[in-house]
Amino acid sequence: RARRDGAPAAQPGVATTGDTSQPVVRIRGLRKSFGDLEVLHGIDLDVHAGEHVVLFGPSGSGKSTVLRSINLLEEPNSGSVCVDGVEYGPGLPGEKGSGKPAKRGKPIELRRKVGMVFQQFNLFPHLTALENVALPLRSVKGMKADDANRKAAESLRQVGLLQRAAHYPGQLSGGQQQRVAIARALSQDPKVMLFDEPTSALDPELVGEVLRVMHELAEAGMTMVVVTHELGFAREIGDLNVFMDAGVVVETGSSELFDHPTDPRCQDFMRAVR
Ligand code: ADP
Ligand code: MG
């Protein structure tokens, strides 16, 4: 897969690599409020198959809310979120009553297509690594126990933890627990994986093993959206790097963004995290 560095944006104002294929995730005019406070002021973003999109920016800028809107953990106030060609969200302003049939996907179907990995690993402490991965295969995918266990083992192998399959979360390091959480998301064969600061809760010496697994996934062609402060990692995998501040996309680019940010807010942020 060729990188499309420097390709012109297909649409002005849309964060995209410029790939013209149908995006796996297409966000248009996404607005989100909590109470009276609007925290996303209209986000436009395309994520194409095999692309690795990095979201970065100050705390509170809305990165998590964008990710959570992609799998409807947050319901957009307006705008459209399209995953794998199916429309979710309330639609764009003016779209209602336009005569277009309101054909919208169901959240449960969406969540099967979108794997999510959080800062906190959210593993069940009373289940082994294998059981943690196998459980949603049975409950969400409706697989039989044997098939679920086989699939779970395969996913644990992918993150290098097959030999820890029978361990409980309490017997694993934070890095290993996060790798189990990655295996759990991966086992659903998602169209896209979302990572929300997956290494932020880890002791520094455990960050590398998680980034290595994510790097392997990226190399294998997984479509990924990653919120991270690990800008070295972002530089390695980011096909499209998106700097957010105060609920808007301020600046986007390939890795050259990290060397030559043009917006002062992005420059300030980069100075602060270095
Ligand atoms: P980031 O991930 O970039 O740190 P968030 O998306 O978590 O930012 O938050 C964006 C803004 O929305 C912040 O001001 C945050 O306080 C606010 N916010 C996020 N979730 C909620 C919520 N459930 N209720 C109220 N405010 C929220
Ligand atoms: Mg966040």
Side-chain angles (χ1 to χ4, degrees), residues 57-65 67-68 119 196-197 227 229:
S59 181
S61 57
K63 307 178 299 293
S64 293
T65 307
L67 277 198
R68 293 167 60 82
Q119 188 173 327
D196 195 353
E197 301 198 36
V227 174
H229 296 301

Side-chain angles (χ1 to χ4, degrees), residues 170-212:
Q171 301 171 311
L172 299 172
S173 74
Q176 290 171 334
Q177 290 181 57
Q178 188 60 303
R179 285 153 66 196
V180 173
I182 293 172
R184 179 179 54 185
L186 201 56
S187 69
Q188 304 273 332
D189 296 323
K191 298 276 181 188
V192 56
M193 293 264 286
L194 312 177
F195 295 86
D196 195 353
E197 301 198 36
T199 60
S200 294
L202 297 176
D203 291 334
E205 74 273 19
L206 303 177
V207 168
E209 64 185 85
V210 172
L211 293 183
R212 207 169 309 122

